[in-house]
Amino acid sequence: AAEALVATKAAAEAELAEALGRAQAQHGDALAAERAQAEAAAKAVEEAHSSALKALETERDDALVAMAQLKAEAEREMAEAVAKFEADKEAARLAAVEETQARMEGEVAEFKRLYVKESALRKRVHNELMDLKGNIRVFCRVRPILAHELKQGKEQSLNVAEFPVDNEIVLARDDVTAN
């Protein structure tokens, strides 16, 4: 019986090995088919991934070009804005200078007008002062006593000016100068 058992065991193992071989053969074909299918699917995924990667790289390159264009446009707009700002600033400065110049010219004209007015007033006041203070005016001309007057010995001809009060003078006239 032990031999029978060993034989049965050996037969079962052989049958198992044969079934395993058949299963492997059957499944090996299925496994190979699945492997081929998996490899085809992996290749399709790799190709899809590769094409998606190429699309992303193209999109990235397009985005970099677009970004460079936007940067160039932004720099151009910034340069235009700076130039406009500088032009506006210069225009404002010129307007301020012109306004200051116009105001100063008005002030100069006003000062000239005031100067002319003040000069006229100063001249008038000076003339009044001279009239009040007294100009040196010639009321008579004094000449030396002539020789024939000395020979005549007229005392009147020798003493022609009298000073009766301070700051007052009285002049005498003779018959010759009475006219």
Side-chain angles (χ1 to χ4, degrees):
E3 285 184 7
L5 257 173
V6 170
T8 310
K9 181 179 171 192
E13 283 179 356
E15 191 179 311
L16 184 62
E18 190 180 304
L20 184 61
R22 271 192 327 250
Q24 277 182 349
Q26 277 180 345
H27 288 300
D29 290 337
L31 193 60
E34 280 184 37
R35 175 180 266 167
Q37 237 180 5
E39 284 176 359
K43 190 173 181 183
V45 166
E46 188 177 324
E47 286 176 3
H49 175 63
S50 177
S51 66
L53 182 62
K54 284 181 184 177
L56 285 174
E57 286 175 349
T58 303
E59 194 175 316
R60 180 199 66 201
D61 292 343
D62 291 345
L64 288 174
V65 168
M67 190 169 69
Q69 289 173 345
L70 286 174
K71 184 178 178 184
E73 186 178 332
E75 288 174 352
R76 182 185 52 79
E77 288 177 358
M78 180 64 120
E80 288 175 359
V82 168
K84 185 179 183 315
F85 173 75
E86 291 295 328
D88 290 347
K89 185 172 88 172
E90 183 65 18
R93 188 187 69 76
L94 284 175
V97 166
E98 288 173 356
E99 179 185 328
T100 302
Q101 182 181 6
R103 183 176 41 82
M104 290 180 138
E105 286 173 354
E107 289 177 2
V108 166
E110 177 65 17
F111 288 137
K112 281 182 180 178
R113 187 187 64 75
L114 289 173
Y115 173 74
V116 167
K117 181 179 175 183
E118 187 62 30
S119 291
L121 178 65
R122 183 190 53 78
K123 191 173 187 179
R124 185 179 58 79
V125 168
H126 174 74
N127 289 338
E128 286 179 12
L129 175 68
M130 294 311 291
D131 285 343
L132 293 173
K133 191 175 172 185
N135 281 338
I136 298 175
R137 295 190 181 145
V138 176
F139 290 106
C140 70
R141 296 192 188 269
V142 179
R143 62 172 173 77
I145 300 175
L146 298 174
H148 75 279
E149 292 173 337
L150 281 174
K151 286 181 186 175
Q152 289 176 357
K154 291 184 180 177
E155 188 169 312
Q156 191 180 24
S157 62
L158 295 176
N159 190 10
V160 293
E162 294 178 17
F163 301 97
V165 184
D166 284 345
N167 294 330
E168 192 175 308
I169 186 168
V170 176
L171 299 174
R173 293 183 164 195
D174 60 5
D175 297 334
V176 178
T177 60
N179 297 335

